[in-house]
Amino acid sequence: MAKDVPEQGSFSAKDYHDPPPAPLIDAVELTKWSFYRAIIAEFIATLLFLYVTVCTVIGYKSQTDPNKPGVDQCGGVGILGIAWAFGGMIFILVYCTAGISGGHINPAVTFGLFLARKVSLIRAIMYMVAQCLGAICGVGLVKAFQNSNYNLYGGGANELATGYSTRVGLGAEIIGTFVLVYTVFSATDPKRSARDSHVPVLAPLPIGFAVFMVHLATIPITGTGINPARSLGAAVIYNKEKTWDDQWMFWVGPFIGAAIAAFYHQFILRAGAVKALGSFRSSTHV
């Protein structure tokens, strides 16, 4: 039997479906338990994220404190280990919460998804509130369990490092957040999800790895924010003047980076594909 050859210029049906844009204000959400369950998931996930990562930062500084007798300053987990703690926790928590809340765990991610109309305004605001409260509680637990070390070793707070200008710090936060949010969009793209559905762990893995790589690049500059809730939680509990002076950078930078990533993915990458398809179709009639 002869093979059926598709007619030249024909296109197969899409093997994925883009979800409809989320409404700007969806009051119906407020009547659903799934909405409040998602908020709780964001709160707990951000709490766990801050607890484990800030503990790692303080533990490293304690292990390498030159004022302690017999301390090996080359010991501890190092910057590499700190980056793995942040990236690894994001991988774990996104994997655990993606099916409940989407696994944002970061107001910048939520903001980017809101701009792309993936979540409603009400959900975005409530997620950000839950994330910030979770971050504050997570760092609060660290201080409660390790009060002396917490105050001695900087509380895991984000600050612009000595020797770097504000412009460099802000740029690091913008670019770092762009990498993260762009990865989120790419990893959760319906087209990619449909074609890689045999690998259910695919989305959390590159997101966690993006966090890891950004930390390697920006820990020496700002301590790596790229997550306003993470920066706010540490600032509220540590409560030092320098931390609050630099706090704006860890909100403005991530929100700008998230907005650029949303625009790039939604209006250049995805829209560009639609335009290319249309041009191919029109060329078959020439």
Side-chain angles (χ1 to χ4, degrees), residues 26 30 47 67 89 124 135 144 161 165 236 281:
D26 187 4
L30 299 174
L47 182 154
N67 297 317
M89 280 304 291
S165 68
V236 168
R281 281 178 170 162

Coordinates of all heavy atoms in Angstrom, one line a residue, residues 26 30 47 67 89 124 135 144 161 165 236 281:
D26 N -11.3 38.2 38.9 CA -12.2 37.0 38.9 C -12.7 36.8 40.3 O -12.1 36.1 41.1 CB -11.4 35.8 38.4 CG -12.3 34.6 38.2 OD1 -13.5 34.7 38.4 OD2 -11.7 33.5 37.9
L30 N -12.9 33.7 44.6 CA -13.1 33.9 46.1 C -14.0 32.9 46.7 O -14.1 32.7 47.9 CB -13.5 35.3 46.4 CG -12.5 36.4 45.9 CD1 -13.1 37.8 46.2 CD2 -11.2 36.3 46.6
L47 N 7.8 29.8 53.1 CA 8.3 29.6 54.5 C 9.5 28.6 54.5 O 10.5 28.8 55.0 CB 7.2 29.2 55.4 CG 7.5 29.0 56.9 CD1 6.3 29.2 57.7 CD2 8.1 27.6 57.2
N67 N 37.2 34.2 63.2 CA 37.4 34.5 64.6 C 37.2 33.3 65.5 O 37.5 33.4 66.7 CB 36.4 35.6 65.0 CG 36.6 36.9 64.3 OD1 37.7 37.4 64.1 ND2 35.5 37.5 63.8
M89 N 16.0 23.9 46.5 CA 14.8 24.1 47.2 C 13.7 24.5 46.2 O 12.5 24.1 46.3 CB 14.9 25.1 48.3 CG 15.5 24.5 49.6 SD 14.6 23.1 50.3 CE 13.1 23.9 50.8
A124 N -3.0 37.2 41.9 CA -1.6 37.7 42.0 C -1.4 38.4 43.3 O -0.3 38.2 43.9 CB -1.4 38.6 40.8
A135 N 7.7 34.2 53.8 CA 9.2 34.5 53.9 C 9.5 35.0 55.3 O 10.5 34.7 55.9 CB 9.6 35.5 52.8
A144 N 14.6 32.2 65.6 CA 14.1 31.6 66.8 C 15.0 30.5 67.2 O 15.3 30.3 68.4 CB 12.7 31.2 66.6
A161 N 26.9 44.6 47.9 CA 28.2 44.4 48.4 C 29.1 45.6 48.2 O 28.9 46.4 47.3 CB 28.9 43.2 47.7
S165 N 28.5 49.5 42.5 CA 27.6 50.6 42.4 C 26.1 50.1 42.4 O 25.9 49.0 42.1 CB 27.9 51.4 41.1 OG 27.5 50.7 39.9
V236 N 12.9 42.2 57.2 CA 12.0 42.4 58.3 C 12.6 41.8 59.6 O 12.6 42.5 60.7 CB 10.6 41.9 58.0 CG1 9.8 41.8 59.3 CG2 9.9 42.7 56.9
R281 N 1.8 30.1 5.2 CA 0.5 29.7 4.6 C 0.2 30.6 3.4 O -0.2 30.1 2.3 CB -0.6 29.8 5.6 CG -0.7 28.7 6.6 CD -1.7 28.8 7.6 NE -1.9 27.6 8.4 CZ -2.5 27.6 9.5 NH1 -3.0 28.7 10.1 NH2 -2.7 26.4 10.2

